[in-house]
């Protein structure tokens, strides 16, 4: 399986001129980007910069198809634009937009029903709480409730411990191994054996050119979700190289 590397630009860069400059860097990646599954998740307004040459992900989508929902964007709209993935359950949206597991579950269902692949983010707030694994299992259980096994080919799980996002702190390889194994065991309970084997599990949280290989070397880690470091094309190129 090719490694999956997702560039989550979050609410960056600040304007279209800077976004075009950054996108040009991604275009210049040339052949190496074909050796991995590269997905770029820019803010909605920057989608047109990329055209059809890149696999793009939305950073959010609503759970209805159309209607009186001011400010929302539906999965069907994204699909019709050629977008094929959506990131859901990101801790920043759970925190800043108050998204509950029940809302996330509705969004996961709507996205899958519209043909989008879902990158579902889960992760504990802190490891001081001895129940941190149960916390992650509960997120998976609630966010994937009622999802048919047949959608397992369309689901990616990104394990992003909240304490590691944008902080420079990262998870130890042995702890990452333990968690990805635990996530797969949970997927087995929820969606069955095939799903547990098939669903890629990514790591995200302060990934950099210096540490990316240490996560990819962990057995069972299928790729990376990269935030801050995806805004610096030289750094990002090195991350991709570590995934070849
Ligand atoms: P970070 O963000 O790489 O800047 O820590 C990762 C994420 O939130 O997806």
């Amino acid at each position: 399986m090719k490694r999956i590397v997702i560039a989550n630009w979050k609410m960056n860069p600040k304007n279209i001129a800077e976004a075009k400059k950054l996108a040009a860097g991604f275009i210049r990646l040339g052949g190496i980007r074909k050796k991995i599954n590269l997905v770029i998740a820019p803010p909605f307004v920057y989608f047109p910069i990329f055209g059809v040459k890149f696999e793009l992900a939305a950073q959010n989508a609503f759970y209805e198809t159309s209607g009186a929902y001011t400010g929302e964007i539906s999965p069907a709209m994204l699909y019709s634009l050629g977008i094929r993935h959506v990131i859901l359950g990101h801790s920043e949206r759970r925190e800043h937009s108050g998204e509950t597991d029940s809302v996330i579950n509705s969004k996961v269902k709507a996205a899958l029903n519209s043909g989008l692949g879902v990158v579902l983010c889960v992760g504990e707030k802190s490891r001081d709480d001895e129940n941190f694994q149960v916390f992650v299992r509960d997120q998976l259980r609630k966010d994937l409730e009622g999802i048919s096994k047949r959608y397992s080919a369309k689901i990616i799980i990104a394990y992003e411990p909240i304490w590691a996002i944008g902080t420079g702190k990262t998870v130890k390889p042995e702890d990452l191994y333990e968690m990805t194994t635990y996530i797969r065991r949970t997927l087995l309970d929820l969606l069955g054996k095939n799903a547990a084997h098939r669903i890629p599990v990514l790591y995200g949280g302060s990934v950099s050119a210096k540490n990316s290989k240490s996560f990819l070397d962990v057995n069972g880690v299928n790729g990376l979700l990269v935030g801050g470091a995806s805004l610096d094309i030289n750094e990002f190129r090195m991350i991709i190289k570590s995934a070849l």
Side-chain angles (χ1 to χ4, degrees):
M1 194 200 283
K2 278 191 200 169
R3 254 88 175 245
I4 301 164
V5 180
I6 304 177
N8 177 12
W9 286 8
K10 308 193 180 184
M11 199 173 74
N12 296 295
K14 285 198 196 73
N15 56 53
I16 184 76
E18 286 181 31
K20 280 185 174 164
K21 217 192 270 176
L22 181 58
F26 276 75
I27 291 162
R28 280 198 306 275
L29 287 170
I32 61 164
R33 74 179 163 89
K34 305 244 165 64
K35 296 187 181 159
I36 59 160
N37 280 325
L38 173 64
V39 179
I40 308 173
F44 293 121
V45 291
Y46 296 148
F47 281 143
I49 302 175
F50 287 96
V52 291
K53 287 208 183 102
F54 282 85
E55 252 189 74
L56 299 174
Q59 296 176 18
N60 181 34
F62 198 52
Y63 46 75
E64 296 288 352
T65 306
S66 64
Y69 304 103
T70 302
E72 301 292 357
I73 291 179
S74 77
M77 290 173 187
L78 293 164
Y79 192 87
S80 73
L81 268 181
I83 312 302
R84 291 293 175 262
H85 312 268
V86 59
I87 298 173
L88 293 173
H90 194 285
S91 61
E92 286 155 11
R93 292 201 58 84
R94 291 180 192 260
E95 175 87 14
H96 298 136
S97 305
E99 279 190 13
T100 60
D101 287 305
S102 145
V103 167
I104 293 162
N105 178 247
S106 301
K107 290 186 169 192
V108 170
K109 285 180 180 154
L112 291 170
N113 283 332
S114 299
L116 294 180
V118 168
V119 181
L120 175 66
C121 302
V122 293
E124 76 281 2
K125 290 194 180 80
S126 145
R127 287 212 164 209
D128 295 341
D129 175 1
E130 60 184 32
N131 288 325
F132 71 90
Q133 285 189 329
V134 175
F135 182 84
V136 172
R137 187 182 65 204
D138 280 351
Q139 284 184 322
L140 286 167
R141 192 172 49 77
K142 291 175 185 161
D143 299 348
L144 294 175
E145 199 183 311
I147 303 295
S148 155
K149 285 179 188 175
R150 75 190 156 92
Y151 281 130
S152 54
K154 290 273 194 184
I155 297 171
I156 294 173
I157 304 296
Y159 168 58
E160 298 207 303
I162 298 174
W163 52 268
I165 295 177
T167 57
K169 291 184 196 146
T170 52
V171 70
K172 290 194 208 97
E174 59 272 28
D175 291 346
L176 181 56
Y177 177 72
E178 187 186 58
M179 183 53 97
T180 50
T181 307
Y182 183 79
I183 287 173
R184 284 221 162 73
R185 216 177 310 134
T186 305
L187 291 172
L188 177 81
D189 295 343
L190 296 173
L191 294 171
K193 201 165 150 200
N194 282 346
H197 282 298
R198 180 189 238 180
I199 294 180
V201 180
L202 314 184
Y203 170 74
S206 294
V207 172
S208 69
K210 280 207 183 86
N211 61 26
S212 54
K213 189 152 177 357
S214 70
F215 306 125
L216 292 165
D217 281 346
V218 173
N219 203 358
V221 172
N222 305 109
L224 302 166
L225 179 48
V226 185
S230 72
L231 302 173
D232 176 336
I233 197 64
N234 293 323
E235 173 105 16
F236 193 69
R237 184 185 291 108
M238 286 193 275
I239 293 173
I240 292 185
K241 282 191 172 155
S242 74
L244 296 181

